[in-house]
Amino acid sequence: MQITPKIFFSEDLSKRSYVYFFINQKRVRIYQCAQFGKSCSPNLKKTAKSRLRELILLEDIVIAELKKGWLPGQKRWLIEEVLTTMLKELNTSSFSKKYIRDTTIVTQEFLDYTRGLEILDKEVDAITSATVETFLLRFNSSSAYYAIKRRTLSAVFNKVLQRGIMKINPVKGTSCRRVEAVHNQAFTEKQLELCLEAVRTTSDNLFLCALFVYCMLLRPHREVRLLTRGNFNEDLTILTLSGDENKSKRIRSIPVPYNIRTILIANGVLALPDQFNIFTNELKPLNEFYFSTCWARVKTKLVRSGVITANHTLYSFRHSAVCSVFKRDKDLHLVQRLCSHQSMMTSLKYLRSLGMEQVGTLDELPQLR
């Protein structure tokens, strides 16, 4: 079907001019091209000559859009509009602050990049794997940095894809980088002993946090930091986290080890109101960077003395606990349940990132007779 746009123009400036065409025997009038992400408004011009010049430009734009497949009434998903909308929705979501921060940063960086290519006014399907690949090369300083940016950007386009706005995720066609798992490295038994002693003599709160992370496999920066008296039963023997208080979004109920219970009783937690935080003894919890800052101070001293390496983090207590459980029981299902992982693949990655061997003895290998 051939559509031929035409111009309606009158030198009487009190009458509106426009570009029109017929489709299915119905006339369609286009007065300006904001819908195409461009600036062209003939009827705002004050002279007949300038209005006609703008109308000719509008006609050219309409012809170009029709050739690209646009039809009246069809929603055009422009890159800037889609990604900006995603950012607004993200900032009002229930995702973690870190996820929102990282996703916002990479999305804004991609918007700035596409702005430089002058393709913001194009539809999202115009984003190709080659475009994304070139963007990701800006983060080529390390495989880990590249992989983090690629994974985060892929999650953004997955959300666009789920809404039917795009046909394919352009990140999927970009190069992958193999990242060696060194972050959150598990402690050896000697390192764990020395590290816990250093933490104990430095900060009571950090020591209690480390015990929660190692002995109960809680995550430090949210699950531990936001604990209140109400998370424990009457005699502090059971800890319960609701779905919105832990990463798995499922209710978790965990026995409290004797060493942790002893510290809680000594800190007067038994007498606290249910809403009070167990670290501050008041309604307001510790700030979100409290444990990170405390750990950074301890870690600096331990790294300098050669006790631990730069790859050890506060999460190393959790990883060390997983190592200990797996070495003792060789039970992946147990690891999954204790860590409250959604899938066993997560547990496998957890172990693989530590470089743990899956085969412990020769008896576990097949034998030839």
Side-chain angles (χ1 to χ4, degrees):
M1 177 177 59
Q2 186 172 359
I3 302 174
T4 307
K6 296 181 180 179
I7 290 175
F8 172 80
F9 169 70
S10 173
E11 292 190 356
D12 182 357
L13 298 183
S14 64
K15 295 181 179 180
R16 290 204 297 171
S17 300
Y18 52 84
V19 172
Y20 70 96
F21 56 87
F22 289 89
I23 183 169
N24 295 331
Q25 298 182 345
K26 291 184 179 180
R27 181 169 61 175
V28 179
R29 301 176 186 179
I30 307 295
Y31 294 93
Q32 44 81 28
C33 62
Q35 60 183 311
F36 305 129
K38 295 180 173 61
S39 177
C40 180
S41 302
N43 293 300
L44 295 180
K45 300 301 179 181
K46 303 300 183 182
T47 66
K49 185 176 180 180
S50 60
R51 179 174 292 191
L52 179 59
R53 187 185 306 115
E54 195 82 350
L55 272 169
I56 293 172
L57 175 60
L58 177 59
E59 181 186 32
D60 291 340
I61 292 173
V62 171
I63 291 172
E65 294 298 325
L66 287 168
K67 286 181 178 179
K68 288 191 290 186
W70 170 80
L71 290 174
Q74 184 183 55
K75 173 66 176 176
R76 300 180 75 250
W77 299 103
L78 305 181
I79 295 173
E80 184 170 27
E81 176 190 356
V82 169
L83 295 183
T84 302
T85 301
M86 293 296 296
L87 282 180
K88 289 179 180 178
E89 293 179 1
L90 182 68
N91 286 314
T92 58
S93 68
S94 59
F95 290 113
S96 68
K97 290 183 179 180
K98 182 179 185 301
Y99 179 81
I100 293 174
R101 181 198 67 199
D102 292 347
T103 306
T104 299
I105 290 173
V106 77
T107 304
Q108 194 58 60
E109 287 172 337
F110 188 74
L111 278 170
D112 293 340
Y113 173 73
T114 52
R115 185 175 289 110
L117 298 178
E118 298 182 352
I119 60 171
L120 278 179
D121 59 346
K122 296 186 181 297
E123 296 189 45
V124 285
D125 280 327
I127 301 174
T128 64
S129 294
T131 303
V132 178
E133 180 90 48
T134 308
F135 165 72
L136 290 174
L137 288 175
R138 304 166 73 184
F139 311 103
N140 212 23
S141 56
S142 73
S143 295
Y145 190 34
Y146 177 95
I148 290 171
K149 291 292 183 179
R150 182 179 183 273
R151 182 176 65 244
T152 308
L153 188 61
S154 181
V156 174
F157 282 114
N158 273 338
K159 295 185 186 302
V160 178
L161 194 66
Q162 289 166 4
R163 300 187 179 192
I165 297 175
M166 297 185 79
K167 297 176 182 177
I168 59 170
N169 184 339
V171 181
K172 298 298 184 184
T174 60
S175 303
C176 297
R177 300 287 172 85
R178 186 177 181 86
V179 181
E180 184 180 355
V182 292
H183 200 52
N184 301 329
Q185 183 178 339
F187 298 118
T188 63
E189 290 185 11
K190 186 62 177 178
Q191 286 175 328
L192 179 63
E193 180 184 346
L194 293 173
C195 199
L196 281 174
E197 179 59 25
V199 169
R200 187 185 65 79
T201 57
T202 301
S203 168
D204 291 339
N205 281 340
L206 184 61
F207 180 64
L208 181 57
C209 172
L211 291 180
F212 273 119
V213 175
Y214 183 82
C215 300
M216 301 180 68
L217 292 166
L218 298 183
R219 298 170 179 88
H221 303 300
R222 180 174 171 81
E223 294 175 359
V224 174
R225 181 177 62 86
L226 299 182
L227 285 175
T228 65
R229 173 64 180 90
N231 288 122
F232 298 85
N233 65 350
E234 187 175 351
D235 58 356
L236 303 178
T237 55
I238 300 293
L239 166 67
T240 303
L241 295 177
S242 63
D244 60 353
E245 291 176 321
N246 72 94
K247 191 176 181 180
S248 70
K249 303 301 180 186
R250 293 175 293 187
I251 296 175
R252 294 182 66 188
S253 187
I254 315 167
V256 180
Y258 176 78
N259 56 349
I260 294 179
R261 184 171 178 270
T262 302
I263 295 175
L264 294 176
I265 293 173
N267 290 348
V269 173
L270 275 172
L272 291 177
D274 283 353
Q275 297 81 13
F276 275 39
N277 184 273
I278 66 167
F279 292 98
T280 62
N281 288 352
E282 57 185 41
L283 287 171
K284 187 177 180 181
L286 298 168
N287 75 72
E288 61 182 303
F289 303 109
Y290 179 88
F291 288 133
S292 297
T293 304
C294 289
W295 169 250
R297 292 168 181 161
V298 177
K299 179 179 177 178
T300 300
K301 296 177 182 177
L302 292 173
V303 171
R304 285 176 180 171
S305 60
V307 174
I308 63 174
T309 70
N311 294 324
H312 288 105
T313 70
L314 193 51
Y315 268 89
S316 292
F317 289 104
R318 180 176 161 92
H319 285 242
S320 301
V322 171
C323 273
S324 177
V325 169
F326 186 76
K327 286 178 177 178
R328 182 190 66 203
D329 297 305
K330 299 289 191 302
D331 188 344
L332 193 57
H333 289 280
L334 177 61
V335 170
Q336 180 186 3
R337 183 162 55 83
L338 291 177
C339 292
S340 195
H341 288 152
Q342 293 284 2
S343 74
M344 192 174 292
M345 288 304 298
T346 305
S347 301
L348 280 170
K349 291 177 182 177
Y350 220 88
L351 295 171
R352 199 160 47 235
S353 71
L354 302 176
M356 278 190 62
E357 69 281 358
Q358 295 293 322
V359 178
T361 67
L362 285 173
D363 294 335
E364 295 174 356
L365 293 170
Q367 303 291 326
L368 286 174
R369 294 181 181 178

